[in-house]
Amino acid sequence: MYQIIGTWKMSLDGIREAAELLGKGGCAGDAAEHAIVRVEDNPGYTSVGYGGLPDRDGHVMTDCAFMDGSRLRAGAAMSVENVANPIRLARKLCGRDTNWLLAGRGAEQAAVAFGLPMKDMRTEASMKKWQAERANIPERLTAYTGHDTVCVLALDDQGGMVAGTSTSGLFLKEPGRVGDSPVIGSGFYCDARFGAAAATGLGEDIMRGCLSYEIVSLMRRGASPTEACGEALRFLSSRKVELGEDEGSISVIALNPRGETGAATTLEIFPFAVGGPQGAGLRAVGKDAPRPRQVTEAEMEEQP
Ligand code: ASP
């Protein structure tokens, strides 16, 4: 039973194609990589890959991860500049015994050694936006509306399961700032025996709850993906509220070895794409509507 799920409407086209790959017997790793590359290559998506919005100093710094749940191995890179497809770098690093989590210059050198294409990730549009807004950096950065991490979880017919993430992080972030996306257990986790999970939203908050590992742990104890996402997110949000903070801007997705998917969010609406033998389409959950539902045409238009 193959199945694939990706965050935000931006993942829909790639998820559709990746589901077709899985339907032809393709492996989960190839499917997830394909879906993420589709988003990284599109300059219209300003929070991932080419055209991603820069940090405070005008550099597009990306974070990425790939985890192979059959082998319980991960690869990840953070604060990486000029690597055309960060997800390909994370996948190459996955499987190493050591040196599988690299930062900055070392990660870029590894990409070159792997023969991966390098590319100036800035676009005219992204630099124009940076020029316009760099003088007014808010004291508290937030995950900006509709622009977030692409996270993909995939299961293939052989029982292979992977998780992948890719992001340029927060617009105008402090140089060197790293979010949850390359941090194992926070932005992603995958154990093919129990399931996979990934998160998008304010990384600083997601890491405080080690959310993805928590979701997979709940599935290990018998929760469905929807229950596990809901419980883990409710717990972290309620702890934040107890501490006098807001509940945060966080959304999560999950997949189990039976091909069941789930999601949860603290937002009014969180769209995500799902693909499998039944076809591919956009679904959504809301903070007051935890059951995944189809997205209407009108809502689809509004989503970035
Ligand atoms: N989680 C990412 C980060 O904090 C951004 C996002 O998903 O909105 O870098």
Side-chain angles (χ1 to χ4, degrees):
M1 166 61 169
Y2 65 91
Q3 196 71 219
I4 185 163
I5 177 170
T7 50
W8 309 107
K9 182 179 149 193
M10 64 184 170
S11 72
L12 180 59
D13 291 340
I15 289 289
R16 185 174 287 121
E17 292 165 6
E20 282 167 21
L21 279 176
L22 289 169
K24 290 180 194 145
C27 74
D30 289 348
E33 179 180 318
H34 178 87
I36 292 175
V37 163
R38 281 287 255 114
V39 180
E40 288 178 339
D41 284 347
N42 188 331
Y45 301 131
T46 55
S47 58
V48 177
Y50 181 55
L53 292 174
D55 69 5
R56 191 186 68 195
D57 292 352
H59 298 274
V60 181
M61 305 305 288
T62 60
D63 298 332
C64 56
F66 182 92
M67 184 158 185
D68 175 351
S70 306
R71 297 182 297 153
L72 224 53
R73 292 205 176 235
M78 53 180 78
S79 284
V80 177
E81 195 173 16
N82 297 330
V83 174
N85 291 109
I87 190 63
R88 292 201 209 276
L89 171 59
R91 192 177 178 194
K92 291 270 187 204
L93 292 169
C94 177
R96 286 179 164 192
D97 289 331
T98 56
N99 300 320
W100 58 257
L101 173 58
L102 297 182
R105 194 170 43 88
E108 288 148 18
Q109 284 170 351
V112 172
F114 286 130
L116 294 172
M118 305 300 278
K119 175 168 162 179
D120 183 345
M121 303 297 265
R122 298 171 299 177
T123 58
E124 218 182 292
S126 69
M127 293 318 283
K128 224 167 142 180
K129 193 162 166 65
W130 174 73
Q131 286 287 2
E133 297 190 28
R134 68 182 172 140
N136 303 308
I137 301 181
E139 207 164 288
R140 193 164 178 266
L141 293 178
T142 53
Y144 41 112
T145 319
H147 303 284
D148 291 89
T149 304
V150 60
C151 308
V152 171
L153 312 174
L155 169 71
D156 62 37
D157 272 336
Q158 289 72 47
M161 188 186 272
V162 305
T165 64
S166 181
T167 186
S168 52
L170 304 183
F171 179 34
L172 299 173
K173 64 188 173 186
E174 188 168 321
R177 178 267 183 191
V178 175
D180 59 302
S181 308
V183 178
I184 189 167
S186 286
F188 68 97
Y189 197 75
C190 180
D191 182 334
R193 200 185 295 174
F194 305 109
T200 172
L202 191 66
E204 284 79 352
D205 281 348
I206 293 165
M207 289 188 279
R208 291 163 73 192
C210 298
L211 265 184
S212 295
Y213 187 77
E214 176 69 3
I215 293 167
V216 174
S217 291
L218 289 164
M219 291 194 286
R220 191 178 81 219
R221 291 182 213 121
S224 71
T226 302
E227 290 164 351
C229 287
E231 188 174 334
L233 193 53
R234 260 193 315 276
F235 180 72
L236 178 61
S237 314
S238 64
R239 286 292 287 127
K240 286 187 81 235
V241 170
E242 269 171 33
L243 294 166
E245 303 177 27
D246 63 26
E247 59 185 0
S249 303
I250 304 177
S251 304
V252 290
I253 55 172
L255 170 69
N256 73 11
R258 286 195 296 281
E260 297 162 342
T261 57
T265 187
T266 60
L267 307 177
E268 291 303 321
I269 178 167
F270 164 56
F272 55 96
V274 178
Q278 76 286 1
L282 206 60
R283 307 268 183 283
V285 287
K287 69 173 175 183
D288 300 319
R291 291 280 139 204
R293 62 166 176 83
Q294 304 270 5
V295 174
T296 64
E297 287 289 320
E299 285 173 324
M300 182 112 162
E301 288 297 305
E302 282 170 19
Q303 294 299 322

